[in-house]
Structure formats: structure tokens, C-alpha cells
Amino acid sequence: MGKMLNEFKAFAVKGNAVDMAVGVIIGGAFGKIVSSIVNDIIMPPIGWLIGGVNFSDLKFELPAVDLGMETMKPATINYGAFIQTIIDFTIIAFCVFLLVKGINKLANLKKKEEEETKPAPAPEEPKPTKEELLLTEIRDLLKKN
């Protein structure tokens, strides 16, 4: 049991697990902000423009059905809430797209900056010509003798 607890501690304090937890928490808060923007700022004017319709109130009502011994209660299909959820998702997806695009742009700028600050590699020494190789061989032979 102690080994499992130690493994869990190692996992829980790893950078990736902590980063993921922070991302989930911030993502949840961000989702609430976007939902509020959609519900409280974007949808009321759209509803007003189309005649005072509140999207969250849009629904299709299925009537009650008498089956003889028992009666099925009426049910509703809340398509307005579904439309609002789709709009929420679209706005969140667009914001995440812009965020990722911005982060990638910053990463590329930093990478480009690092490449510019790197010292240029030293030029390679030129390869000796055939004449130089031949002269080197002659010199080495003369040294041996």
C-alpha cells in the first residue's frame, strides 16, 4: 500500500499532471465566461432582432398520450437550449483556435530569435587539392628516409 501511495504522489506532483489540472480548472472557468457572454450579451439582441424570442425557451412539446391503463406525461424537446449550446461551443472553439494560434506564433518568434542569436558555425577548412595531397605524401616519404 505504501508503494502505491508513493507512486501516486510521484504522479500527482509531476509537471504534466499539475499542468493538466490547471488547464481543466481554467478551462471550466473560461467555459462559464463564454456561456455568460453568449447567454447574457449575444443571445438577447439576436432574440430581439427575430421578434423577442428567447432561445432557451424554444421547445417542441410532445403531447400527453392516453394508453388506456396508464397515461404518458407530456415531454418537451428543448431545441433552443441545443442551439445555444452550439453557439457556446462555436465561440469557445474559436477562442481556443485564436489562443493556440497566438501561442504558436510566440513559439515561432522565440525559435526564430534563438536561431538569430546563435553564433554562425565556423567555416569548414577547404579540402586539399590533388597537388597538395601529392606534395604531402612526398614530404612524409622524405621524412621517413
Side-chain angles (χ1 to χ4, degrees):
M1 187 69 169
K3 183 180 177 185
M4 185 182 286
L5 185 61
N6 288 335
E7 288 178 17
F8 177 72
K9 283 180 187 178
F11 168 77
V13 295
K14 269 187 185 176
N16 294 343
V18 173
D19 291 346
M20 185 177 70
V22 169
V24 168
I25 293 167
I26 290 175
F30 183 71
K32 288 180 182 179
I33 290 170
V34 172
S35 293
S36 176
I37 288 171
V38 170
N39 295 336
D40 303 329
I41 296 174
I42 295 174
M43 295 311 285
I46 291 174
W48 178 76
L49 285 173
I50 60 173
V53 176
N54 183 355
F55 275 87
S56 59
D57 292 339
L58 295 176
K59 57 187 163 195
F60 179 75
E61 198 163 317
L62 301 171
V65 177
D66 187 13
L67 299 173
M69 295 289 283
E70 69 181 67
T71 303
M72 290 178 61
K73 295 181 181 178
T76 59
I77 298 174
N78 302 318
Y79 65 90
F82 179 70
I83 291 171
Q84 198 147 353
T85 303
I86 290 173
I87 293 170
D88 283 356
F89 170 78
T90 304
I91 292 171
I92 290 172
F94 183 70
C95 290
V96 169
F97 166 75
L98 291 177
L99 181 70
V100 169
K101 188 172 181 174
I103 289 171
N104 286 341
K105 194 171 194 176
L106 286 175
N108 288 339
L109 284 175
K110 186 171 181 172
K111 185 177 178 183
K112 189 175 182 181
E113 184 180 288
E114 287 174 358
E115 287 175 359
E116 289 174 356
T117 58
K118 280 185 182 176
E124 292 184 27
E125 293 185 26
K127 292 186 177 182
T129 63
K130 288 183 181 181
E131 292 173 345
E132 289 174 330
L133 290 172
L134 184 60
L135 288 171
T136 304
E137 281 183 43
I138 293 172
R139 181 197 66 204
D140 293 341
L141 287 172
L142 288 173
K143 280 185 182 179
K144 284 183 183 179
N145 292 333

